[in-house]
């Protein structure tokens, strides 16, 4: 039995191969053939039966109306890596049509779309003729080309500024995978005041330096062709992606707000740069990070409890994997009513569709002051007692202080320090009394109040500058107070 391929000059005959004795490989899918196959013995061409029938009627060469100046050739197996169709911008793999003279590729759907589809597309292109077909954006080293997204289904790329799926008209650099919505292209600030570096504004520029947030060399990262934000005075830099990170979680074990680190850091190699400052294990999943102190904490070490209760929702909230509950691509937190990232872990209610940021659930004190109690019903004594009990239970959980300015190891809470002998506090050098924090490895000890000293203060006798907490002196005799 023979069949004729439209893309091959000879007929190909049917064969049945034994997996153990025959060693033939399919020219289309590049996998070993076992069982039914078709082959051209003259050309040593072998195909699985299904692969042969899939390409049976595909012509070797076509002329496409949107690339009419060159012929497009059929490539059975397609490129080694997934490619991007130049017509629909959909990521595809396998059989495609490619131009031998220029880097133009089409998937099979676009290659054989009806003429009506091409006419409609040309009309849309003419209506967009007033727009710039290419633009040199100040944040990317390569020119950005105008595209129109034509797929209504699954999206393959997100806008690099707002992180939302591409729709409608947008600009992009296909070789770098860098795309911007048309309406986002003029929203990217050239100067940024960022909470990671509040002392100076960060300016957008092409730099060859290390990103202070992800610790990766910017020129070696995925943003190597994109400008980064930097402070030349302090040599502080954030790559384009990390500049969008913000500290959100207030926690009593640390003076700075902590930043949720999620999909941005999912590079398997990059993850090994981060070690939890509490348990000393590698941060291989999502974690919280303080960029200023280079402090990292697993969610379990913060701790982020698996089950939480919020005063404005009657059901318990469960810590859950990222949730995409909205088909139109809009995701909001039900506590702060602000947009949330659908790739971040959240608290959600399993009895209803209540979903909230982790920080909005844990920062209950701040939330309660914002959502004033004037509109809330009065709280009964039983409810108040229950709330106080919950607060006490929460305090017993938060027993770890991580303060690199004092000591490099985690410090654990100790209710009584008098029984530790004649020891002094590592900060104030006074004799220990009452509760405190102790390093079990080095026996370094701090009073409870000293462990919570702020990293920075402003003093009326020196108002022109902030005063930073400094704890590296070797002897109390070496400290000289500028006031007394």
């Amino acid at each position: 039995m023979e069949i004729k391929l439209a893309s091959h000059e000879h007929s190909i005959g049917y064969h049945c191969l034994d997996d153990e004795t025959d060693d033939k490989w399919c020219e289309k899918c590049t996998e070993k053939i076992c069982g039914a196959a078709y082959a051209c013995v003259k050309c040593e061409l072998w195909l699985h039966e299904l692969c042969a029938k899939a390409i049976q009627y595909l012509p070797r060469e076509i002329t496409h109306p949107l690339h009419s100046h060159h012929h497009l050739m059929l490539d059975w197996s397609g490129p080694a890596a997934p490619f991007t169709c130049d017509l629909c911008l959909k990521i595809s793999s396998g059989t495609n049509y490619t131009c031998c003279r220029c880097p133009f590729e089409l998937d099979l759907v676009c290659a054989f779309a009806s003429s009506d589809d091409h006419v409609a597309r040309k009309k849309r292109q003419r209506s967009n003729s007033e727009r710039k077909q290419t633009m040199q954006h100040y944040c990317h080293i390569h020119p950005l080309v105008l595209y129109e997204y034509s797929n209504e289904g699954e999206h393959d790329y997100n806008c690099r500024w707002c992180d939302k799926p591409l729709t409608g008209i947008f600009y992009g650099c296909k070789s770098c995978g860098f795309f911007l919505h048309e309406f986002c292209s003029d929203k990217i600030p050239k100067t940024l005041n960022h909470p990671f570096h509040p002392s100076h504004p960060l300016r957008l520029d092409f730099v060859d330096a290390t990103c202070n947030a992800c610790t990766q060399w910017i020129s070696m990262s995925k943003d190597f062709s994109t400008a980064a934000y930097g402070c030349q005075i302090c040599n502080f830099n954030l790559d384009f992606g990390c500049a969008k990170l913000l500290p959100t979680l207030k926690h009593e074990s640390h003076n700075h707000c902590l930043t949720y680190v999620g999909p941005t850091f999912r590079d398997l190699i990059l993850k090994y740069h981060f070690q939890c400052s509490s348990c000393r294990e590698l941060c291989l999943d999502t974690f919280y990070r303080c960029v200023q102190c280079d402090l990292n904490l697993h969610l379990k070490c913060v701790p982020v409890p698996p089950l939480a209760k919020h005063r404005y929702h009657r059901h318990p909230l469960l810590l859950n994997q990222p949730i995409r509950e909205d088909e139109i691509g809009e995701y909001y937190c039900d506590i702060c009513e602000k947009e949330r990232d659908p790739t971040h872990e959240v608290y959600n209610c399993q009895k209803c569709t209540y979903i909230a940021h982790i920080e909005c659930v844990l920062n209950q004190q701040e939330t309660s002051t914002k959502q004033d109690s004037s509109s809330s019903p009065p709280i009964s004594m039983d409810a108040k007692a229950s709330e106080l009990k919950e607060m006490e239970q929460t305090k017993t959980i938060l027993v770890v202080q991580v303060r690199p300015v004092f000591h490099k190891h985690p410090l654990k809470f100790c209710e009584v320090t008098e029984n530790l002998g004649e020891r002094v506090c590592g900060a104030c050098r006074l004799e220990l009394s009452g509760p405190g924090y102790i390093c079990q490895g080095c026996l370094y000890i701090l009073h409870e109040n000293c462990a919570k000293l702020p990293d920075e203060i402003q003093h009326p006798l020196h108002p022109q500058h902030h005063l930073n907490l400094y704890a590296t002196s070797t002897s109390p005799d070496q400290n000289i107070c500028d006031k007394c």
Side-chain angles (χ1 to χ4, degrees):
M1 184 174 61
E2 292 184 343
I3 64 172
K4 183 72 174 72
L5 298 182
S7 56
H8 191 68
E9 56 184 328
H10 305 132
S11 296
I12 57 176
Y14 180 82
H15 297 263
C16 188
L17 301 183
D18 188 342
D19 186 32
E20 295 181 359
T21 59
D22 296 310
D23 189 18
K24 303 296 182 182
W25 299 82
C26 178
E27 292 287 336
K28 182 182 182 298
C29 66
T30 67
E31 294 184 2
K32 190 174 181 180
I33 297 175
C34 176
Y38 282 92
C40 175
V41 181
K42 291 181 181 178
C43 303
E44 285 293 324
L45 170 70
W46 290 85
L47 292 166
H48 286 113
E49 182 181 21
L50 292 177
C51 292
K53 291 182 176 179
I55 63 173
Q56 182 175 0
Y57 303 107
L58 297 179
R60 174 188 290 273
E61 183 180 289
I62 64 170
T63 301
H64 197 275
L66 295 183
H67 194 74
S68 55
H69 50 291
H70 296 141
H71 293 293
L72 303 181
M73 303 299 295
L74 178 65
D75 183 356
W76 287 352
S77 59
F83 67 94
T84 305
C85 174
D86 282 287
L87 192 58
C88 66
L89 206 68
K90 184 93 174 164
I91 292 180
S92 302
S93 59
T95 307
N96 72 333
Y97 279 90
T98 182
C99 180
C100 299
R101 297 188 181 183
C102 58
F104 184 85
E105 296 172 300
L106 291 180
D107 59 31
L108 295 182
V109 174
C110 290
F112 295 102
S114 68
S115 58
D116 291 339
D117 293 337
H118 296 319
V119 170
R121 187 172 182 85
K122 280 190 173 182
K123 285 182 179 179
R124 289 196 298 270
Q125 287 178 341
R126 281 196 294 270
S127 68
N128 295 329
S129 59
E130 295 181 1
R131 290 185 170 95
K132 292 181 180 179
Q133 296 303 305
T134 61
M135 66 180 295
Q136 185 62 62
H137 200 277
Y138 53 82
C139 77
H140 195 71
I141 200 169
H142 303 137
L144 303 183
V145 179
L146 181 70
Y147 288 98
E148 182 181 4
Y149 209 93
S150 59
N151 284 305
E152 298 297 331
E154 193 175 326
H155 298 290
D156 299 313
Y157 291 108
N158 288 348
C159 172
R160 288 297 294 277
W161 179 247
C162 69
D163 290 324
K164 292 183 178 179
L166 295 174
T167 54
I169 301 298
F170 61 94
Y171 287 93
C173 174
K174 198 177 84 166
S175 61
C176 299
F178 182 90
F179 298 96
L180 294 173
H181 288 124
E182 185 183 30
F183 50 82
C184 287
S185 61
D186 58 354
K187 291 183 179 180
I188 301 170
K190 294 183 179 180
T191 303
L192 191 65
N193 293 311
H194 203 284
F196 290 165
H197 190 70
S199 51
H200 304 114
L202 306 179
R203 300 188 184 280
L204 191 64
D205 199 2
F206 292 93
V207 297
D208 191 18
T210 302
C211 173
N212 287 71
C214 65
T215 70
Q216 192 175 18
W217 200 260
I218 294 174
S219 62
M220 306 283 289
S221 71
K222 64 181 180 182
D223 292 316
F224 67 94
S225 301
T226 308
Y229 287 94
C231 172
Q232 293 182 346
I233 300 172
C234 307
N235 193 26
F236 182 92
N237 301 283
L238 295 174
D239 64 38
F240 194 77
C242 292
K244 293 177 289 183
L245 294 174
L246 291 173
T248 54
L249 180 64
K250 291 184 178 178
H251 198 276
E252 67 175 29
S253 70
H254 194 66
N255 283 342
H256 301 132
C257 285
L258 303 177
T259 301
Y260 179 90
V261 175
T264 311
F265 292 76
R266 280 183 182 164
D267 187 314
L268 291 176
I269 298 174
L270 184 59
K271 279 198 258 185
Y272 282 87
H273 287 107
F274 298 98
Q275 185 184 51
C276 179
S277 303
S278 176
C279 68
R280 299 297 168 186
E281 294 181 2
L282 293 175
C283 296
L284 299 179
D285 207 341
T286 52
F287 59 100
Y288 275 94
R289 173 168 170 77
C290 175
V291 173
Q292 295 97 313
C293 303
D294 192 21
L295 172 104
N296 309 298
L297 292 170
H298 291 119
L299 268 63
K300 64 180 181 181
C301 297
V302 169
V304 175
L307 195 66
K309 190 80 172 67
H310 196 275
R311 62 184 302 175
Y312 294 107
H313 191 68
R314 64 182 182 274
H315 302 139
L317 302 175
L318 185 69
L319 183 64
N320 213 329
Q321 296 299 313
I323 296 176
R324 295 176 181 265
E325 89 290 358
D326 198 331
E327 293 181 357
I328 62 174
E330 294 182 356
Y331 312 96
Y332 289 91
C333 168
D334 288 312
I335 294 178
C336 67
E337 297 183 350
K338 294 180 181 178
E339 257 189 299
R340 63 179 183 84
D341 191 327
T343 63
H344 288 191
E345 290 169 274
V346 291
Y347 276 107
N348 82 303
C349 176
Q350 292 190 316
K351 295 184 178 180
C352 53
T353 58
Y354 195 87
I355 300 175
H357 291 123
I358 291 176
E359 57 270 17
C360 288
V361 174
L362 298 186
N363 294 342
Q364 290 203 46
Q365 185 174 359
E366 182 185 4
T367 307
S368 63
T369 56
K370 285 183 180 178
Q371 303 180 8
D372 194 2
S373 59
S374 58
S375 61
S376 304
I379 302 174
S380 66
M381 291 301 293
D382 289 340
K384 190 68 177 175
S386 176
E387 186 179 322
L388 288 172
K389 185 177 181 181
E390 283 183 18
M391 291 174 63
E392 289 173 0
Q393 289 174 348
T394 305
K395 280 192 173 181
T396 61
I397 296 174
L398 306 174
V399 295
V400 179
Q401 277 278 1
V402 185
R403 296 297 303 277
V405 67
F406 285 126
H407 193 63
K408 61 183 179 180
H409 301 145
L411 305 174
K412 294 203 172 181
F413 182 73
C414 182
E415 190 70 43
V416 180
T417 56
E418 287 87 344
N419 58 3
L420 298 175
E422 295 183 1
R423 299 184 63 83
V424 296
C425 170
C428 66
R429 307 293 180 180
L430 296 178
E431 189 176 343
L432 289 171
S433 61
Y437 286 86
I438 182 170
C439 173
Q440 295 180 332
C442 309
L443 296 182
Y444 181 89
I445 307 177
L446 289 174
H447 286 123
E448 182 180 21
N449 290 336
C450 291
K452 297 179 180 179
L453 287 172
D455 287 338
E456 186 179 86
I457 64 169
Q458 189 149 14
H459 198 277
L461 295 182
H462 193 71
Q464 65 269 34
H465 300 129
H466 290 284
L467 303 181
N468 295 320
L469 183 64
Y470 188 69
T472 58
S473 60
T474 56
S475 169
D477 297 332
Q478 294 176 359
N479 293 322
I480 301 175
C481 176
D482 286 304
K483 182 179 178 182
C484 63

